[in-house]
C-alpha cells in the first residue's frame, strides 16, 4: 500500500523537492500528499505547487509562545491529508512532546551534521571550529530529544582546508538530496537498515 507523505518546510525546500521528485520518478513506495510551511512566503511552497503537490501554511507567528495551539492547528491540517509519514525538511520549529505523542514513529528529519555530533544550529561552523576532517548530514527518526532519534542514514564528505561554513553547506546540500530520498524509500517499507553514503 503506497504510503502518504507530508513534508514540513520553513524555507527554500530543496530537500522537499528532492523527496517529491524521487517519489514522482515511479516505482516508489510513497507518494507526496502535502507540503506544509510555518512561513507564509517560504520559497518551497511555489516549488511544491510547480510539482503539483498540495500546499498549506500554518503561520506560527499569530500563536506567539503558545506552541501547543500552533501544533494543534498543524495537526488539524495534516490530518485532513491523512499522512502515514511526516518528513521535516528545513522545518525550523521545535516540536513539543505532545506533537511527538500524536506523530511519533512516523516522523523523519534531516540534520546537517554527523549526529550525534553538533545537534542544534550552526553545524557547519562548529565542525570547522572543531577542526574536523569530515562532516556530513544525518536523517533520523524524530523523537522528543532534539536531533536525537535513531539515525537511519548518513552521508559524509571531507572538509577542505579552504572550506567556510557557506561552502561546506553548499557542498553538503547535494548529499542531503541523495540521502533523504534513499532513507524515505526504506522507511516507507518498514526497512530501518541504515543508509551510508560518501
Ligand atoms: C539544510 O541544510 C537542511 O539540512 C536543514 O535545512 C537546510 C535547508 O534545507 N534541515 P532546505 O533547502 O530548505 O531543504
Amino acid at each position: 500500500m503506497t504510503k502518504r507523505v507530508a513534508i514540513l518546510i520553513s524555507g527554500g525546500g530543496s530537500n522537499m523537492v528532492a523527496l517529491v521528485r524521487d517519489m514522482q520518478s515511479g516505482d516508489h513506495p510513497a507518494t507526496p500528499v502535502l507540503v506544509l510551511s510555518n512561513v507564509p512566503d517560504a520559497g518551497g511552497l511555489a516549488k511544491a505547487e510547480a510539482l503539483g503537490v498540495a500546499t498549506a501554511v500554518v503561520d506560527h507567528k499569530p500563536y506567539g509562545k503558545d506552541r501547543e495551539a500552533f501544533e494543534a492547528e498543524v495537526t488539524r491540517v495534516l490530518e485532513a491529508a491523512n499522512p502515514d509519514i511526516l518528513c521535516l525538511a528545513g522545518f525550523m520549529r521545535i516540536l513539543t512532546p505532545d506533537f511527538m505523542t500524536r506523530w511519533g514513529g512516523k516522523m523523519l528529519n534531516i540534520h546537517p551534521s554527523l549526529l550525534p555530533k553538533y545537534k542544534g544550529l550552526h553545524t557547519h561552523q562548529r565542525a570547522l571550529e572543531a577542526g574536523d576532517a569530515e562532516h556530513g548530514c544525518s536523517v533520523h527518526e524524530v523523537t522528543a530529544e532534539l536531533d536525537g532519534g535513531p539515525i537511519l542514514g548518513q552521508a559524509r564528505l571531507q572538509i577542505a582546508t579552504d572550506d567556510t561554513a557557506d561552502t561546506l553547506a553548499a557542498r553538503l546540500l547535494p548529499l542531503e538530496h541523495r540521502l533523504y530520498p534513499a532513507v524515505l524509500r526504506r522507511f516507507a517499507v518498514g526497512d530501518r537498515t541504515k543508509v551510508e553514503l560518501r
Side-chain angles (χ1 to χ4, degrees):
M1 181 263 284
T2 302
K3 292 291 189 296
R4 299 167 59 85
V5 175
I7 305 171
L8 283 73
I9 66 170
S10 298
S14 71
N15 276 286
M16 173 275 296
V17 170
L19 290 169
V20 168
R21 284 197 170 135
D22 191 48
M23 284 187 270
Q24 292 178 340
S25 64
D27 187 28
H28 196 293
T31 186
V33 294
L34 182 68
V35 171
L36 184 150
S37 174
N38 66 297
V39 174
D41 61 350
L45 289 167
K47 294 171 190 170
E49 285 157 13
L51 290 166
V53 182
T55 62
V57 171
V58 180
D59 185 350
H60 65 277
K61 291 195 185 69
Y63 296 93
K65 296 190 183 312
D66 191 347
R67 286 184 184 277
E68 287 73 13
F70 164 67
E71 290 177 356
E73 178 62 9
V74 170
T75 286
R76 188 187 68 76
V77 172
L78 285 173
E79 284 178 341
N82 190 30
D84 303 297
I85 298 169
L86 302 188
C87 287
L88 309 184
F91 186 68
M92 302 309 279
R93 302 300 295 168
I94 292 175
L95 297 164
T96 69
D98 286 355
F99 195 85
M100 298 305 157
T101 302
R102 173 63 186 80
W103 298 102
K106 299 181 174 188
M107 275 190 287
L108 300 178
N109 180 47
I110 188 160
H111 180 76
S113 79
L114 290 174
L115 291 172
K117 294 178 83 171
Y118 313 129
K119 297 177 182 178
L121 299 173
H122 312 302
T123 60
H124 314 300
Q125 190 58 41
R126 289 157 67 190
L128 285 169
E129 286 168 359
D132 291 353
E134 67 174 6
H135 187 41
C137 53
S138 307
V139 175
H140 62 95
E141 288 191 69
V142 177
T143 63
E145 183 193 351
L146 180 67
D147 299 330
I151 295 169
L152 299 181
Q154 291 192 308
R156 298 167 186 274
L157 55 67
Q158 293 305 304
I159 294 179
T161 51
D162 59 349
D163 261 323
T164 65
D166 289 344
T167 62
L168 212 40
R171 291 198 305 116
L172 187 59
L173 216 43
L175 284 178
E176 296 180 26
H177 299 162
R178 288 174 47 212
L179 180 67
Y180 213 165
V183 172
L184 178 59
R185 278 179 176 267
R186 291 189 183 181
F187 190 74
V189 296
D191 176 357
R192 282 176 162 77
T193 312
K194 186 178 178 184
V195 175
E196 293 276 7
L197 299 181
R198 281 194 177 281

